[in-house]
Amino acid sequence: MKVSLNTIKQYVSVDVPLDELVRRINEQLGGVEETIDVGEKYKDVVVVRVVECAPLEGTDHLNLTKVDDGGTVKDVERDEKGLVQVVCGASNVRAEMLAVWLPPGATVPSTFDEAEPFVLGARELRGAMSNGMLASPRELGFGDAHEGIMEIDGDEWKPNDVEIKAGTSFAAAYGLDDTVIDIENKMFTHRPDCFGQLGVAREIAGIFGKQFTSPDWYIEPPQFDSRDRLKLEVKNDIPEKVSRFMAVAIEGVSVKPSPIWLQAELVRLGSKPINNVVDVTNYVMLVTGQPMHAYDYDKVGDSLGVRLAQKGEQIALLNGKVEELNATDIVITDGKKPIGIGGVMGGSDTEVSHQTKSIILECANFDMYTIRRTSMNHGLFTDAVTRFTKGQSPLQIPAAMELALKSVFDTTGGTQASGVIDDQHLQTFSEQVVHAPRSIDDDFINSRLGLSLSSKEIKSLLGNVEFTFDVNYIAPFWRTDIEIPEDVVEEVGRLYGFDKLPQDLPRRTLAPAVVDPGRALKTQLRNVLSNAGANEVLTYSFVHKNVLERAGQSTDDAYQLSNALSPDLHYYRRTVLPSLLDKMHQNVRAGYDKFAIFEIGKGHQKSAGLDKDGVPLEQEYVSLAIAGGGFYQAKVITEFLAKELGTQFDYVPLEQGKLFEQKRGALMRVGDTVIGAIGEYRAEIRRNFKLPEKSAGFEIDFKKLLDASRHSIETYRPLGKFPSADRDITLSVSRDMNYDDVYAAITENLSSTDLEYTVTPLGIYQPDDGNTKNVTLRIRLTSHEKTLTGDEVSTVMDALTSAVCEKLSAQVV
């Protein structure tokens, strides 16, 4: 954002050295990237009067001129009348005109910023000595026109009210003896008002403690005339995206180069003069921050519309490119076809040209998010986009329109030909938020800043930037960033000076922070799984479509990204395991055949629904994958995990296996709640990911595991002082009986004793043609009171086998 110091001084008195001004802007407004001495570029440029002009003998287009510079330039050859001879090839050069002279030793302004600037000298042209040159607009950096030299109108209004005569400094006459301060755009991301000179002037007044008063034309509601000489209609089909749309027709315009003062205003602020109509719209934007656009009335017709584009529509833009539009783009139409991309760029078919006699001025407010999306989709980054994507206030549009109308009348000679149409839907704009009084007392502000400012001091700080106060603080309409009480606190702190805030540490209680159960559990899970030999990995939440499909998951229930980081990251993963399987394949391909990896991450599924804000709900998972291991290797880890968490996992058969083999997998349950699944991967999935035949894993719902861990069943028991006794037992049971039923029957019986016990499966043998299978288990018994004798152990085992055989119709082998 380029800020003109001369322009700022039109609104507020700044009587501090430049270094001090830059320092204060850096501290209290935004980061200054550079300061540009515009006056250095134009310091040698002089206004001269052409006294004599005659064709140069022996040429068909050169003229020999004598110019009067009032004797201001030193060390230049003059005739007896004090005139300087200059050879000029412009067709519009003539005697008695005022022109712009670049004397010998002057740098051509258009080359000033080049690596090798062009410095003029006195040289002979076709036998005649030429001292410097009479400059065209292009050589002065005032656009591309170079057909003739720049003509000065001595009676033209000038910002400095300097009398134009021979010898007048061109820079002094047109405000080019200026310093431009370039402030980073990103510093004003939330401050749309600071994208205009007026807004920055107000802030500079505020940080220097001076009262700023906006011009009457900006704050007083304008009174527009009613005219009907040209018909004009406006139709707004998308008021939710275009909260205000103003338009007016003007007739009798004469399109030509702008007055030099206006061109100079644009040049020093980094813009390029085009013609008086377009220059006015750019000038209004640079002053107020409100973009505008002008159309050729005869090319548009009497109807102006705004709607969303139809997919596939095309438009030729002012930059010479043809864009194919998306259904999310806002377009301005002539009632039928698009003639501009709203808030971005106008179309070339309705461009204002030197043949234009009537125009339509349009000033509107567009939804910032839609403009940002359109800009990114088409790669169009304009001054209008920069401002509209910051959230301009629609309440400043009438002021911008009034300034534009008066400026067009002055520079083109046009007159208003229609009424000013104001299609407004301000209920779609947060008008109530912007104007809502902030019920904030002084203690609220002081306690957050560590200050003791009086009410008078606070009102003065805010009042300097035109906040008002009755019972509460009220932000002005252009401050769309003031939404909550803390925004007012920040404003007071900024204007007071953050560097002046007391450097006291905030007082805090010494009581320890409450431990977050979820975070503590994640730390514990990482430690447990790492101790079990697994390695943690971190993967993207986004995956390629193929990863989901190879894992047997449908993409219909997955969210697709419309603006993906890369072609391989188009979908949100539904669960974490597909990402782990993809990483398993990469490690196997690298030559590792036995390993375990795990991740604690998030997944998103459409079937899970949305939260209250309309955002997809997230599910967190604890997932582990093993290469070179089967179901029981995975189960060893889950049992270790359960033991460390102080809970117990039960395993029930899978009814159907999408990820795991039905006969080599199980659902994991705590109590009656299913928390996840474990098993060996289906053969199809192993083939898809090119995994070893022995590959297994598990996936647990983190939230359900957290709930289970809160109801820990583990109680502390000291290590036994007495030796344990191990006994192996083999039971012959029906081939259809689950191991879980055998395990449950044994533990049920042992729980009635006073002994500590563990039950470990050793093997299951099932003949191909038999109706039974043999289940072998190792039972360890421990007493905390004495050393068990062989008879005592036998008594317990006899009672156990008798009860279990009776309950399961089993036999001891």
Side-chain angles (χ1 to χ4, degrees), residues 158-439:
K158 299 163 292 297
N160 293 342
D161 199 26
V162 174
E163 180 185 0
I164 299 290
K165 60 182 181 180
T168 300
S169 165
F170 181 71
Y174 293 103
L176 293 167
D177 51 346
D178 194 8
T179 297
V180 169
I181 301 173
D182 194 356
I183 305 175
E184 287 181 302
N185 281 355
K186 65 183 180 182
M187 306 302 295
F188 295 147
T189 299
H190 65 305
R191 291 293 305 275
D193 57 305
C194 286
F195 279 89
Q197 303 295 301
L198 183 63
V200 176
R202 182 184 297 110
E203 292 304 310
I204 289 177
I207 62 181
F208 280 98
K210 297 183 178 183
Q211 174 65 55
F212 186 88
T213 303
S214 292
D216 291 342
W217 59 264
Y218 189 73
I219 57 176
E220 295 295 333
Q223 300 297 320
F224 296 112
D225 295 335
S226 297
R227 305 289 174 85
D228 58 1
R229 288 195 297 274
L230 288 178
K231 181 182 178 183
L232 182 63
E233 296 178 347
V234 168
K235 184 180 181 183
N236 183 357
D237 293 336
I238 46 173
E240 71 280 1
K241 293 185 179 296
V242 184
S243 60
R244 194 166 199 171
F245 193 95
M246 295 186 75
V248 62
I250 302 172
E251 63 181 356
V253 300
S254 176
V255 180
K256 57 187 178 182
S258 295
I260 297 176
W261 73 264
L262 179 53
Q263 295 187 53
E265 287 279 337
L266 299 178
V267 166
R268 55 200 172 99
L269 292 174
S271 190
K272 183 173 73 172
I274 298 174
N275 60 52
N276 49 357
V277 173
V278 176
D279 291 354
V280 163
T281 62
N282 287 334
Y283 172 70
V284 171
M285 177 185 70
L286 292 171
V287 171
T288 66
Q290 174 64 49
M292 303 185 68
H293 192 69
Y295 306 87
D296 188 314
Y297 178 90
D298 295 317
K299 296 175 182 177
V300 173
D302 58 12
S303 179
L304 207 60
V306 56
R307 61 171 170 82
L308 291 178
Q310 298 171 7
K311 187 173 178 59
E313 281 187 310
Q314 292 187 335
I315 182 172
L317 296 175
L318 290 172
N319 62 3
K321 296 181 179 180
V322 175
E323 293 287 339
E324 183 171 320
L325 300 171
N326 300 320
T328 57
D329 298 334
I330 298 174
V331 292
I332 311 300
T333 72
D334 59 3
K336 297 179 182 178
K337 66 180 184 301
I339 59 174
I341 302 179
V344 179
M345 187 179 290
S348 59
D349 292 342
T350 55
E351 180 180 6
V352 173
S353 67
H354 288 287
Q355 289 74 43
T356 299
K357 300 302 178 186
S358 300
I359 63 171
I360 299 173
L361 278 182
E362 167 245 297
C363 191
N365 183 270
F366 301 98
D367 175 62
M368 60 188 292
Y369 304 107
T370 303
I371 298 301
R372 181 175 293 123
R373 186 182 301 113
T374 294
S375 173
M376 295 297 293
N377 287 342
H378 296 286
L380 297 172
F381 304 98
T382 63
D383 287 337
V385 167
T386 297
R387 287 159 174 81
F388 278 126
T389 53
K390 306 305 181 292
Q392 291 291 337
S393 169
L395 301 178
Q396 73 171 353
I397 290 178
M401 178 62 85
E402 181 184 38
L403 178 61
L405 272 175
K406 291 180 177 179
S407 300
V408 169
F409 298 160
D410 291 341
T411 59
T412 71
T415 57
Q416 186 176 334
S418 77
V420 177
I421 299 173
D422 185 4
D423 183 271
Q424 57 175 292
H425 304 270
L426 295 186
Q427 68 274 15
T428 63
F429 170 68
S430 303
E431 184 179 15
Q432 294 78 12
V433 174
V434 173
H435 288 295
R438 305 297 167 200
S439 181

Side-chain angles (χ1 to χ4, degrees), residues 547-559:
V547 173
L548 295 177
E549 293 176 340
R550 283 186 290 158
Q553 295 184 353
S554 171
T555 56
D556 294 340
D557 197 29
Y559 289 101

Side-chain angles (χ1 to χ4, degrees), residues 711-780:
H711 303 89
S712 174
I713 62 173
E714 189 74 14
T715 57
Y716 172 75
R717 298 191 70 175
L719 292 174
K721 298 179 181 179
F722 305 99
S724 301
D726 291 348
R727 294 291 188 271
D728 294 347
I729 180 174
T730 300
L731 298 173
S732 176
V733 298
S734 170
R735 66 178 297 157
D736 297 328
M737 183 170 294
N738 292 323
Y739 166 79
D740 190 56
D741 294 332
V742 178
Y743 179 85
I746 292 175
T747 55
E748 180 182 358
N749 179 269
L750 291 176
S751 62
S752 62
T753 69
D754 295 331
L755 303 177
E756 182 180 329
Y757 63 87
T758 60
V759 180
T760 306
L762 297 181
I764 299 176
Y765 171 72
Q766 181 174 320
D768 292 337
D769 57 352
N771 295 322
T772 61
K773 60 183 176 184
N774 294 340
V775 179
T776 302
L777 307 102
R778 175 164 294 162
I779 297 171
R780 172 169 291 181

Side-chain angles (χ1 to χ4, degrees), residues 517-557:
R519 185 170 295 179
L521 178 59
K522 288 179 182 178
T523 300
Q524 188 177 9
L525 288 172
R526 290 187 173 97
N527 292 333
V528 171
L529 295 177
S530 296
N531 291 339
N535 295 288
E536 184 177 13
V537 297
L538 297 174
T539 61
Y540 280 118
S541 296
F542 316 125
V543 295
H544 194 282
K545 178 181 180 181
N546 291 342
V547 173
L548 295 177
E549 293 176 340
R550 283 186 290 158
Q553 295 184 353
S554 171
T555 56
D556 294 340
D557 197 29

